[in-house]
Amino acid sequence: MNTTRTTCPYCGVGCGVLATPDEAGGVAIAGDPDHPANFGKLCSKGSALGETLSLEDRLLHPEIAGRRASWDEALDLVASRFAETVREHGPDSVALYVSGQILTEDYYVANKLMKGFIGTANIDTNSRLCMASSVAGHRRAFGSDTVPGLYADFAEAQLVVLVGSNLAWCHPVLFQRLQEAREARKIRLVVIDPRRTVTAEAADLHLALEPDSDVPLFLGLLNHLSRNGLAAPDWLASHVSGAEAALDAARDYDVARTARETGLAERDVTAFFAMFAATDRVVTIYSQGVNQSVSGTDKVNAILNCHLLTGRIGKPGCGPFSVTGQPNAMGGREVGGLANMLAAHMAIEDEAARDRVQRFWASPVMADKPGLKAVDLFRAIGEGRVKAVWIMGTNPVDSLPDADAVAAALSACPFVVVSDVVRETDTNAHAHVLLPAAAWGEKNGTVTNSERRISRQRSFLPMPGDAKPDWWIISEVARRMGFAGFDYTHPGEIFREHAALSGFENAGTRDFDISGYAEVSIAEFDALRPFLWPHAKGEAPRETRFFADGRFFTPDRKARMVPTPVRDEVKFRDDARPLWLNTGRIRDQWHTMTRTAKAPRLMGHFGEPFCEIHPADAAEAGIAPASLLVVESAFGRAILRALVTDRQRRGAVHAPMHWTGQFASEGRANAVTHPATDPVSGQPGLKRVAVSVKPFAANWYGFAVSAARPRPEGAEYWALAPLERGFRLELAGTTSPADWQAFGATLFGLTRAAEWTGFYDHHACHVRLAAFEGDRLIGALFVSPEPVALSRAFLSDALGESHAGAGRIRLLAGLGGVDRPDPGATVCACFQVGLNTIVAAIREGGATSVEAIGDALKAGTNCGSCRGEIRRIIDANRFEKAV
């Protein structure tokens, strides 16, 4: 079978992927050794892409009000309702909410339709939740949304500062690239993060600062650099304005004040300042811990100020670097897929730019003001100001803050359209029209990664059912609304138009220019190799760093140092809600799990929603390890498994943002988060909301495996994870069922009689039940008054196997025995290596290094994202042996 070169659909690293379909209907996945983003490496998620391509949960046909419809009927309805709404209520009464996972060509057509033809800038994206503060900070400082550096700078630096980034888990391929460079050269690493993450444990210095105190830290650094003669006077005089005002805002931030406002020890602040000051080649990498804040834009500018003051920008191994969270957040920025941008990095506030784009598009109108940003958009839907919304490739009922209010808004909206690849999501439940979109492996177009590298996503599978590309769906609606200029037949035509617009009346005045591809043929587009922009017409492609020449994209071509005084933040922490909740991603999951949860091995590391809490905070709240807790804010609550750990800072808790109503009863972390946003970027502060925690008053806990998708009726808490031959389920309730066997029959979805084997200890409140079809296990349920202790791996593997006689007794014991040792919780998802297996290799096999574990078990030898956890296990077992 032919191998297709494509690009991974997960984070913003933009890894190249080799996809090879086989004759059995599967697809073999490997890293592309020739792609300059990853050189053949893939993380656990990317490695498992071939396991996520099944069709059982796909949306395969258009639907209207829950019934199957034809494309003509569905498209006519969408076009007529949008046109009618615009006629009756004006263009600002409709909106699009799109995604950093759609392709650049999809984004381009959507933006063109809304801003140039309908005449509203009410098109925003879930990238607003990811990197909007970086966009705003870049534009304030550089006059453009420009990422100055390259991935190569990580290896050329002498000091790398990671701010608000768990790079080892969220961008594992980049982290391994950095770690390999650190092994080869003396590169020091500073990690600035309230949590002691796997990334932080690899650092030379970890600054576990108070949540949201990055601005005071970098004000202190700026003041230190200035007072110790590290400013670059010639550079500042020629290429930077605003230095005096920015330094005035930092003038009172000595080490003592910086330590006081960040909660850090003075010695650690001093050490960081000294390292930064003494090092010429510094790269500061930042991510969601900076961006997802009500002061996110100021955080970005506080970081940029330190690089601008010292001239450490635009040179090898120097500069600020924003790593994006989505595969095409950058592509969306390039085409103007944000409500406050135009197209090709032009500003919607610029009258000349609006005129330029309108002439290029030959469009009847042009939006003349910024539209509603994500949080404000859904608030406007709830208030009835936006009466028709089209959501593409995203799940805002789970990903936006104050998510229950988002659900209520969509429930009340007169017309909701959703284009998606899956049928069941918490957002789709509110749709009047569902449109089946092409998925990864079926789509064809381009994406841009965090270092400005444009790569191709190519199709290697046919589109199933009636699925269509997003650009086709949008173009069809545009034509049915009577608009010309949407007669595209291939994504290469859209890319060509996008490239031509980037160079239209540019002449070097704008950063984004790929006009070298404005005349690309379809054959050339199909064969397009990854390239960095800019690539202007008539120029040869090159690996370009911006700003080495000191020329920026402001009117006077100088950078701006922006004052970033510490502002009063949204603060509701008090005796009733004494903790800060921080949300984020985990290693093996992605966004709201519509793709990653299809791969059982990606659910092995963490199979249910959880909350990290410091032991002292847990003890104070009466929360036992592995019990369930309720985390509650002024906006909502979630029920989560307690992970008690001293890696979590006192006074704060952390929960992953991935779980939805498809996989847990009340695991939606964004039902709890605060809808307050940064006043400049509009990005919500998802990293800090005041909460209380308390034990969930469970009368019973349960664990189950089921061949059919479980129906956990009567359990207030449940969390579902797929297995190779069914599902596993964690359960808990406040009231015990009267008949556990009847409960189990409902749970397993039994429609006919099954053979049951059971054990009841009524005095101790223990129940163990197994249901068989012949000798084949089709379901098992284990109940206890405490969290159930047994071998989940053994029971998961036993599902669907034959069990008779003594085998059923061992099954009810929940332990595999000598011949089937319990591997423990998954540590290495790539090779399915568990905790107990690693411990045995250490204690019995003498493997006392990460490399030795890799040699013995392969763990940590693929993506490397589990290497830090393996190191923890080795250290813990060394300590136990020493004791």
Side-chain angles (χ1 to χ4, degrees):
M1 301 291 285
N2 292 330
T3 294
T4 299
R5 292 183 187 273
T6 186
T7 308
C8 181
Y10 289 123
C11 75
V13 176
C15 295
V17 173
L18 301 178
T20 309
D22 59 37
E23 294 180 355
V27 178
I29 296 294
D32 184 349
D34 297 326
H35 197 289
N38 60 314
F39 299 107
K41 292 184 179 294
L42 291 176
C43 72
S44 59
K45 296 183 290 293
S47 299
L49 276 167
E51 301 160 39
T52 67
L53 301 174
S54 62
L55 301 181
E56 68 266 11
D57 63 343
R58 286 291 298 272
L59 175 63
L60 295 174
H61 309 285
E63 294 183 17
I64 297 173
R67 64 169 177 83
R68 180 170 172 175
S70 69
W71 269 115
D72 281 337
E73 184 185 8
L75 293 168
D76 284 345
L77 178 60
V78 174
S80 64
R81 287 294 298 269
F82 264 66
E84 176 186 317
T85 305
V86 171
R87 280 195 306 272
E88 293 183 3
H89 304 285
D92 290 339
S93 66
V94 300
L96 263 62
Y97 186 64
V98 297
S99 166
Q101 294 169 78
I102 65 175
L103 304 185
T104 298
E105 293 71 25
D106 307 323
Y107 254 129
Y108 180 88
V109 178
N111 189 54
K112 179 179 178 179
L113 170 62
M114 290 300 284
K115 290 175 182 158
F117 288 80
I118 291 177
T120 179
N122 282 351
I123 172 172
D124 211 43
T125 166
N126 62 5
S127 298
R128 177 72 59 190
L129 316 180
C130 169
M131 37 35 66
S133 293
S134 285
V135 174
H138 287 161
R139 293 176 72 185
R140 290 204 302 188
F142 307 148
S144 60
D145 175 23
T146 310
V147 176
L150 310 173
Y151 291 162
D153 291 323
F154 300 5
E156 297 188 47
Q158 298 165 312
L159 171 65
V160 172
V161 181
L162 277 170
V163 192
S165 169
N166 188 7
L167 202 71
W169 276 17
C170 299
H171 302 89
V173 170
L174 284 186
F175 185 71
Q176 291 308 313
R177 189 167 171 174
L178 172 60
Q179 290 295 80
E180 289 170 5
R182 291 180 70 204
E183 290 174 8
R185 299 178 52 244
K186 290 184 178 180
I187 301 174
R188 290 177 294 176
L189 177 64
V190 175
V191 172
I192 300 169
D193 194 313
R195 301 165 58 224
R196 195 171 82 243
T197 63
V198 173
T199 306
E201 290 178 341
D204 297 293
L205 175 64
H206 172 213
L207 300 178
L209 76 179
E210 179 74 16
D212 257 354
S213 63
D214 308 73
V215 169
L217 179 64
F218 282 93
L219 284 172
L221 176 60
L222 186 70
N223 186 40
H224 177 86
L225 294 170
S226 175
R227 289 183 179 276
N228 286 275
L230 273 299
D234 293 342
W235 161 266
L236 290 172
S238 301
H239 304 302
V240 180
S241 65
E244 184 174 345
L247 289 169
D248 279 345
R251 206 165 303 282
D252 294 334
Y253 278 84
D254 57 10
V255 167
R257 181 173 179 180
T258 302
R260 188 166 61 250
E261 293 195 13
T262 58
L264 296 170
E266 288 190 18
R267 65 179 181 278
D268 290 336
V269 173
T270 300
F272 171 51
F273 288 178
M275 289 169 96
F276 198 106
T279 309
D280 290 330
R281 296 199 303 277
V282 182
V283 173
T284 305
I285 304 169
Y286 63 92
S287 192
Q288 312 306 6
V290 168
N291 293 327
Q292 290 179 336
S293 167
V294 296
S295 58
T297 305
D298 283 349
K299 290 184 184 183
V300 171
N301 285 112
I303 292 168
L304 302 187
N305 285 345
C306 296
H307 283 272
L308 290 172
L309 181 77
T310 55
R312 295 171 181 175
I313 190 169
K315 296 176 284 190
C318 282
F321 200 109
S322 163
V323 286
T324 53
Q326 295 196 81
N328 203 30
M330 292 282 281
R333 289 149 74 169
E334 291 157 11
V335 304
L338 290 162
N340 56 317
M341 298 176 73
L342 190 52
H345 279 197
M346 286 180 268
I348 199 167
E349 301 89 348
D350 183 343
E351 184 177 356
R354 296 198 303 270
D355 174 70
R356 181 183 305 121
V357 176
Q358 186 172 3
R359 284 187 287 109
F360 182 87
W361 280 342
S363 64
V365 293
M366 180 57 62
D368 60 1
K369 64 182 185 298
L372 293 166
K373 299 166 186 173
V375 173
D376 290 336
L377 170 60
F378 283 88
R379 186 176 292 119
I381 293 170
E383 293 169 356
R385 290 183 285 127
V386 171
K387 300 178 184 300
V389 62
W390 187 353
I391 298 165
M392 298 180 192
T394 186
N395 193 6
V397 171
D398 295 318
S399 58
L400 277 169
D402 194 11
D404 289 342
V406 174
L410 289 178
S411 181
C413 185
F415 192 58
V416 178
V417 182
V418 179
S419 301
D420 210 331
V421 301
V422 296
R423 176 60 183 81
E424 301 295 336
T425 73
D426 292 337
T427 298
N428 288 3
H430 302 281
H432 300 96
V433 179
L434 288 173
L435 302 176
W440 183 81
E442 304 151 13
K443 300 166 80 166
N444 189 13
T446 60
V447 293
T448 306
N449 75 356
S450 295
E451 65 167 350
R452 297 178 276 109
R453 193 175 300 276
I454 295 176
S455 300
R456 289 279 278 107
Q457 266 196 25
R458 294 181 173 92
S459 58
F460 52 87
L461 295 171
M463 285 179 276
D466 291 331
K468 296 288 186 182
D470 288 295
W471 63 263
W472 182 91
I473 302 171
I474 300 161
S475 297
E476 282 293 317
V477 169
R479 284 198 290 268
R480 289 161 199 255
M481 292 180 74
F483 299 134
F486 293 87
D487 53 348
Y488 307 110
T489 61
H490 191 279
E493 299 167 355
I494 306 169
F495 178 79
R496 193 160 56 213
E497 182 179 317
H498 167 49
L501 176 56
S502 75
F504 183 58
E505 299 179 355
N506 189 335
T509 58
R510 306 192 301 272
D511 65 333
F512 181 69
D513 189 342
I514 58 169
S515 56
Y517 298 93
E519 298 174 4
V520 68
S521 68
I522 297 302
E524 289 168 335
F525 177 78
D526 287 341
L528 193 66
R529 298 290 297 158
F531 70 93
L532 279 175
W533 64 260
H535 183 190
K537 191 171 184 178
E539 295 181 359
R542 62 191 189 279
E543 304 282 292
T544 303
R545 292 176 179 86
F546 274 93
F547 311 138
D549 60 0
R551 290 174 61 79
F552 295 84
F553 293 95
T554 56
D556 63 3
R557 303 308 295 263
K558 290 186 174 184
R560 302 280 188 266
M561 286 179 63
V562 179
T564 60
V566 176
R567 298 183 291 106
D568 288 335
E569 310 241 4
V570 177
K571 295 183 179 179
F572 294 108
R573 192 164 71 165
D574 53 28
D575 290 344
R577 299 188 184 96
L579 304 174
W580 294 123
L581 170 66
N582 176 9
T583 65
R585 295 176 178 174
I586 59 175
R587 189 189 74 189
D588 296 340
Q589 292 306 321
W590 171 254
H591 280 204
T592 59
M593 299 168 62
T594 50
R595 182 185 290 115
T596 45
K598 296 178 74 169
R601 66 175 158 128
L602 296 182
M603 297 294 285
H605 192 226
F606 288 107
E608 63 181 318
F610 63 92
C611 180
E612 291 184 331
I613 183 170
H614 190 275
D617 290 327
E620 194 170 292
I623 293 165
S627 67
L628 293 171
L629 60 80
V630 179
V631 56
E632 191 164 9
S633 72
F635 308 97
R637 75 171 205 165
I639 304 174
L640 309 170
R641 186 71 63 181
L643 200 169
V644 180
T645 172
D646 63 3
R647 296 190 296 273
Q648 178 60 49
R649 181 186 177 91
R650 272 218 74 177
V653 294
H654 180 270
M657 52 80 70
H658 307 289
W659 270 265
T660 69
Q662 280 67 57
F663 298 100
S665 54
E666 286 191 70
R668 296 163 55 244
N670 280 316
V672 185
T673 52
H674 201 302
T677 61
D678 179 282
V680 181
S681 70
Q683 183 158 359
L686 298 173
K687 296 294 185 184
R688 194 177 72 157
V689 60
V691 298
S692 63
V693 296
K694 63 181 180 182
F696 175 70
N699 172 268
W700 60 271
Y701 292 85
F703 174 77
V705 293
S706 175
R709 188 178 182 92
R711 295 165 52 196
E713 298 173 10
E716 288 93 334
Y717 173 83
W718 57 266
L720 179 73
L723 301 171
E724 293 293 343
R725 295 189 292 267
F727 300 87
R728 55 177 280 185
L729 194 69
E730 301 288 344
L731 299 150
T734 57
T735 304
S736 298
D739 184 334
W740 282 108
Q741 185 168 311
F743 176 87
T746 301
L747 183 68
F748 305 147
L750 300 182
T751 58
R752 57 183 182 273
E755 184 179 346
W756 291 84
T757 298
F759 166 81
Y760 293 86
D761 182 340
H762 295 288
H763 178 73
C765 300
H766 288 279
V767 177
R768 300 189 174 212
L769 294 170
F772 299 88
E773 193 173 71
D775 286 338
R776 186 175 68 91
L777 178 68
I778 58 174
L781 171 65
F782 298 80
V783 179
S784 168
E786 304 292 338
V788 180
L790 42 71
S791 173
R792 283 158 171 76
F794 164 66
L795 291 166
S796 298
D797 290 343
L799 190 65
E801 293 182 346
S802 293
H803 303 269
R808 295 191 178 187
I809 303 302
R810 184 165 70 170
L811 188 70
L812 290 182
L815 301 172
V818 176
D819 59 328
R820 294 183 71 169
D822 178 14
T826 299
V827 174
C828 175
C830 296
F831 294 109
Q832 290 290 274
V833 183
L835 170 64
N836 295 345
T837 306
I838 293 172
V839 170
I842 297 166
R843 294 181 173 180
E844 300 165 19
T848 56
S849 69
V850 174
E851 292 71 25
I853 293 293
D855 290 341
L857 306 173
K858 289 190 174 182
T861 61
N862 182 40
C863 74
S865 57
C866 63
R867 291 172 66 88
E869 196 165 349
I870 293 171
R871 190 172 292 108
R872 282 179 186 165
I873 297 166
I874 293 169
D875 291 345
N877 281 273
R878 280 178 179 157
F879 176 77
E880 286 183 16
K881 290 177 76 173
V883 172

